[in-house]
Amino acid sequence: MPVLRAGTRPDTWAVVTGTTAYVVAVESDPATGEARVLQRYWGPRLPGDALAAPLPPAPPRVDSSFFDPRDTAELLPVEGGTRWGVPSLQVTYPGDIRSVEFRYTSARMDGERLTVTLRDDAFGLEADLHVEAVGEVIERWTTLRLDASAPGAVAVGRLDSGNWEIPERDAYRYTGVYGAQLLENQVQRGELPVGETTFTSRSGTTSHRANPWIMIDAGDATEEHGEVWSVALAWSGSWRLTAQHRPEGDLAVTAGFGHDGPRWRLAPGESLETPRVLGLHTTGGFGAASRAWHAYTREHVSPAPREDRPVLYNSWEATAFDVTEEGQLDLARRAGAIGVELFVVDDGWFHRRDSDDRGLGDWWPDRAKFPEGMTRLFDRVRDLGMAAGLWVEPEMVNPDSELYRAHPDWVLHYPGRRRDTLRDQLVLNFAREDVRDWALGWLDRLVGEHRLAFLKWDMNRGFTQAGQPGERSDMLWIEHTRGVYAVLDELRRRHPGLRIESCSGGGGRVDLGILRRADQVWTSDNTDARDRQGIQHGMSHVYPANVMAAWVTDAPNPITMREVPLRYRFHVAMAGVLAVGADVRRWSEEDADEARELVARYKAIRPVVQHGTLHRLTGDPGVTRSALQYTLDDLVVVLAYNPYATGKRGPRRLRLAGLDPDAVYEVVEGDDPLKGARWHGAALMAVGVAVPSWFIVGPDYRSDLVVFRKVPS
Ligand code: DGJ
């Protein structure tokens, strides 16, 4: 969809998608020339005639010396002029001047993209505000440029990708996720207090503690009904998202890279471009918002979205650092026998890596563990019919390593200050070209020599003492992340078949920036099936099933000590990219047989789970009866869970969603008495079906996999 000229005034545009319109206008003060770029509308797409005519005007402004309603409507409110809201751009000019005075210079309409340029003449600073329709999403970002002839450098305290005004409603409610390592993506929903609510990461990565997205509704949206506005940031370093709910009733969300504190120095002739912030308006409740995010991720973000992600085995929970060629081969044989397609050796394979206090940085196979190198192991893995993958943590170094002894200056540090280790490791500075070259060099060799199909790229500590010698220290918060992106992009370019999993101590680096170069993410180090249901539920709000890696591990679970039956563990992991992370050497023959059967079932439903549309049908996942439905073409896959036998408390029937009401559906897979039954789509949605695992009498941890096929009419 193109950018349209909207209304009858010259500087008004509508950026439209199939379902949404986003209308932008420039308003210049006739006396001072100061420009504000204002959001006039964001919501359902209006007919062409309505967009071509002037929109009803904003309410008249109260003449106030304390408040200006336009602050929240600006696409990039600056610190400067008569503004008191949250600035999206904050700079300090030479002479400690902090007032930006932009005038409007031009606008370009280029296919799907609108770029509005503003300029502060006195200091030679220009800002491009970009707006682009990509699928159903409005993408926005900012480029800041300082003239080569500018009077001096500027310090940038905040440069957000963009500010979004949420249209006026009677109330505003927030939905997002908080978390922690081992408990990522916990959904929280509540009224947004009047004030400024900031969600942020200061750790240099996306973080476990929050995820850079927010959904706003008027307090009336349900899973299947209601308008929802979402904003998400495509960035994998520190970030900040502020929801500003003003006493006068307006609500705006501004988001961008970086956190409070660091200041970026822009010298004359330099420019700085933000990552993209994404806005999505949907009707159809939180479920529709999630489905739209999934579609956008698959169609416009993921590097290889049409592929089926393979069932992988990962050695971490089985062997930790106790890696040997024979031990891994033993795991590989057993994994291959249950249907695994990709065998991944996790941590512990490289030089002197017997524990977490040494070895990071020395990325060659440990001679004691692999006297002949790892080629033989990977060849055997391939002989067993599986592809080969390996764990790496390229951004890290242990002080006890040959790399650190040779290059102590490569880590984040301030001269003369302590370098505190966490997990006995320090962060390599990927803002440095020599560090990036080094990383790309060994990664390229490793992948090429071993014909690796997969890398798990881990990152196990937050940034501290994040400095580098010279004047550009704070820039590394941005440049490290860009450096990681650059290495990943180049590695993929050199090895087009390589697939990558992003991991950061579990789900600490999950975002729409890393997903441009990572095919999937490690969801959490908490592999307990019941906890996982809540974690996966939160993650599903934005990220689709085909990026969410989910392992079946042992019982009792090593973290929670909970005993959950194998079938339930599988059914939970089948809701994403199924993998096995158990010590399969300890499995009985019955376990292995059951696993083989469940892996085969997953492969049969995989296209539907990984590429279909998701309906979160009901329940509090992991706590009450709950169910997920995936639909692709004529197939409908339902995963139903009953973790906790609650006697007579319901629900007892499961109502499906999004079916063709006029079609008949047949149960082609499912336990008695469902198998072979036929019902109308309308009945399945209105009346519901009794799934066996929801029967009131029975033990904890019952689950069902039910597959319906639409009967051709
Ligand atoms: C943290 C990851 O989340 C784990 O899965 C595992 O790869 C360890 N690191 C290895 O050190």
Side-chain angles (χ1 to χ4, degrees):
M1 294 292 161
V3 179
L4 313 171
R5 282 202 180 277
T8 48
R9 292 177 24 157
D11 300 319
T12 306
W13 305 269
V15 180
V16 292
T17 72
T19 60
T20 303
Y22 184 76
V23 180
V24 174
V26 179
E27 190 180 279
S28 292
D29 185 314
T32 63
E34 179 170 62
R36 293 176 189 245
V37 185
L38 299 172
Q39 176 188 314
R40 286 270 187 238
Y41 172 73
W42 180 24
R45 182 166 176 180
L46 306 174
D49 292 356
L51 287 172
L55 293 177
R61 283 214 303 278
V62 176
D63 191 14
S64 168
S65 50
F66 295 103
F67 161 72
D68 189 321
R70 294 170 302 177
D71 289 2
T72 45
E74 283 191 82
L75 268 66
L76 195 76
V78 301
E79 184 178 37
T82 55
R83 295 177 181 84
W84 300 277
V86 178
S88 300
L89 174 66
Q90 233 173 351
V91 301
T92 308
Y93 290 127
D96 270 352
I97 295 169
R98 290 163 64 97
S99 191
V100 175
E101 295 181 5
F102 275 143
R103 69 178 173 84
Y104 168 56
T105 66
S106 62
R108 273 195 318 282
M109 286 162 65
D110 181 9
E112 325 279 304
R113 183 183 302 178
L114 168 72
T115 302
V116 179
T117 301
L118 303 171
R119 180 174 173 80
D120 191 340
D121 292 310
F123 294 97
L125 187 73
E126 285 196 347
D128 290 336
L129 280 49
H130 310 276
V131 186
E132 182 170 355
V134 180
E136 288 308 322
V137 164
I138 305 290
E139 298 193 351
R140 299 197 24 219
W141 68 106
T142 309
T143 311
L144 204 60
R145 265 188 314 278
L146 193 59
D147 289 354
S149 58
V154 301
V156 180
R158 183 162 188 158
L159 172 60
D160 280 357
S161 308
N163 179 62
W164 305 80
E165 188 174 55
I166 310 300
E168 198 175 332
R169 291 294 183 272
D170 292 345
Y172 294 113
R173 189 170 56 168
Y174 146 85
T175 301
V177 288
Y178 67 90
Q181 189 176 18
L182 300 173
L183 204 64
E184 296 85 341
N185 282 305
Q186 302 299 298
V187 173
Q188 59 178 342
R189 178 168 294 157
E191 203 174 307
L192 257 183
V194 171
E196 294 165 14
T197 308
T198 293
F199 305 92
T200 189
S201 157
R202 299 190 182 85
S203 63
T205 55
T206 329
S207 106
H208 306 81
R209 308 179 65 77
N211 201 262
W213 63 265
I214 189 171
M215 291 183 187
I216 306 283
D217 75 295
D220 55 0
T222 63
E223 184 64 19
E224 294 293 332
H225 300 283
E227 269 186 303
V228 175
W229 288 263
S230 331
V231 174
L233 185 71
W235 181 245
S236 315
S238 285
W239 56 273
R240 180 180 36 198
L241 182 155
T242 304
Q244 179 189 183
H245 185 188
R246 294 205 298 193
E248 294 82 4
D250 325 275
L251 177 65
V253 174
T254 181
F257 56 8
H259 55 267
D260 285 331
R263 303 204 324 160
W264 307 311
R265 188 172 173 277
L266 204 61
E270 286 185 339
S271 63
L272 188 55
E273 184 164 298
T274 69
R276 295 187 181 208
V277 64
L278 318 168
L280 174 68
H281 170 268
T282 42
T283 53
F286 298 106
S290 299
R291 287 187 286 280
W293 281 116
H294 299 170
Y296 166 79
T297 306
R298 288 176 178 137
E299 286 158 30
H300 303 285
V301 178
S302 291
R306 275 169 245 298
E307 288 176 8
D308 287 351
R309 304 295 319 135
V311 177
L312 70 76
Y313 178 84
N314 179 291
S315 65
W316 175 244
E317 286 197 16
T319 50
F321 299 104
D322 189 13
V323 172
T324 60
E325 185 172 342
E326 260 321 301
Q328 295 300 304
L329 196 55
D330 189 7
L331 289 172
R333 280 196 203 99
R334 293 167 192 268
I338 58 171
V340 163
E341 297 159 311
L342 167 65
F343 183 80
V344 184
V345 180
D346 205 278
D347 201 347
W349 60 268
F350 48 97
H351 185 53
R352 294 180 60 243
R353 184 67 166 175
D354 295 324
S355 64
D356 61 13
D357 62 0
R358 72 176 87 126
L360 289 172
D362 299 343
W363 297 105
W364 54 90
D366 184 73
R367 282 283 159 201
K369 297 176 180 178
F370 298 98
E372 312 286 326
M374 292 181 88
T375 311
R376 189 168 60 190
L377 170 66
F378 290 132
D379 282 345
R380 291 206 182 156
V381 164
R382 281 184 283 267
D383 290 345
L384 289 166
M386 292 177 286
L390 201 53
W391 176 95
V392 292
E393 195 177 3
E395 297 154 83
M396 295 292 153
V397 64
N398 289 120
D400 185 2
S401 66
E402 292 187 19
L403 182 77
Y404 189 70
R405 285 185 277 275
H407 298 288
D409 52 326
W410 277 11
V411 298
L412 305 187
H413 71 284
Y414 291 110
R417 299 269 84 188
R418 274 195 336 261
R419 304 171 179 200
D420 291 333
T421 56
L422 290 167
R423 207 196 190 206
D424 288 304
Q425 59 197 57
L426 296 164
V427 184
L428 289 168
N429 184 359
F430 267 53
R432 292 176 63 127
E433 197 179 354
D434 49 3
V435 172
R436 292 196 299 273
D437 287 348
W438 162 83
L440 188 59
W442 68 261
L443 283 162
D444 183 28
R445 276 194 305 280
L446 193 69
V447 172
E449 276 170 21
H450 295 101
R451 293 194 286 132
L452 298 176
F454 182 90
L455 284 181
K456 173 177 173 183
W457 180 301
D458 204 348
M459 198 288 185
N460 279 304
R461 62 158 289 175
F463 291 13
T464 61
Q465 295 122 340
Q468 59 186 357
E471 286 188 338
R472 303 183 74 252
S473 226
D474 283 351
M475 279 306 286
L476 73 81
W477 291 96
I478 296 173
E479 288 176 354
H480 178 94
T481 302
R482 287 190 177 152
V484 170
Y485 286 173
V487 172
L488 283 165
D489 291 345
E490 178 58 18
L491 195 60
R492 291 192 80 115
R493 197 191 62 75
R494 293 188 195 177
H495 302 277
L498 180 69
R499 299 292 173 257
I500 290 175
E501 179 172 277
S502 164
C503 172
S504 177
R509 187 143 65 187
V510 179
D511 57 80
L512 293 164
I514 203 70
L515 283 171
R516 285 197 176 277
R517 56 273 298 172
D519 303 275
Q520 60 191 55
V521 293
W522 179 221
T523 307
S524 177
D525 273 346
N526 185 341
T527 55
D528 172 274
R530 194 165 170 183
D531 285 354
R532 260 309 175 101
Q533 286 188 266
I535 294 168
Q536 295 180 180
H537 172 70
M539 193 163 157
S540 77
H541 278 68
V542 171
Y543 307 105
N546 65 327
V547 308
M548 186 175 73
W551 304 350
V552 172
T553 58
D554 284 311
N557 182 271
I559 287 164
T560 62
M561 298 297 142
R562 200 173 276 137
E563 292 267 6
V564 176
L566 192 66
R567 173 179 153 109
Y568 195 95
R569 280 179 271 151
F570 261 95
H571 282 167
V572 171
M574 283 182 182
V577 177
L578 175 71
V580 178
D583 188 351
V584 283
R585 297 168 303 187
R586 291 196 287 134
W587 276 9
S588 65
E589 253 181 56
E590 294 76 58
D591 287 342
D593 287 346
E594 190 177 355
R596 185 178 311 109
E597 167 68 20
L598 286 158
V599 168
R601 284 181 166 207
Y602 177 73
K603 287 179 183 168
I605 60 163
R606 169 165 56 186
V608 186
V609 172
Q610 294 194 5
H611 310 290
T613 54
L614 169 70
H615 287 266
R616 292 179 292 252
L617 291 180
T618 184
D620 186 355
V623 180
T624 64
R625 294 173 171 97
S626 70
L628 298 167
Q629 177 192 321
Y630 304 84
T631 309
L632 183 71
D633 303 328
D634 60 346
L635 283 175
V636 180
V637 170
V638 172
L639 287 162
Y641 307 97
N642 187 355
Y644 178 50
T646 46
K648 289 196 167 163
R649 199 172 327 138
R652 292 176 202 121
R653 290 178 193 200
L654 179 60
R655 284 184 297 125
L656 273 52
L659 305 183
D660 177 351
D662 300 322
V664 171
Y665 290 81
E666 177 177 339
V667 178
V668 291
E669 182 173 344
D671 289 341
D672 287 339
L674 294 180
K675 186 88 189 282
R678 288 181 168 210
W679 293 289
H680 272 91
L684 285 168
M685 292 191 287
V687 181
V689 60
V691 284
S693 65
W694 284 17
F695 186 57
I696 51 168
V697 178
D700 289 350
Y701 302 117
R702 281 171 286 151
S703 56
D704 280 296
L705 166 63
V706 187
V707 183
F708 298 82
R709 186 188 293 279
K710 189 171 162 181
V711 178
S713 49

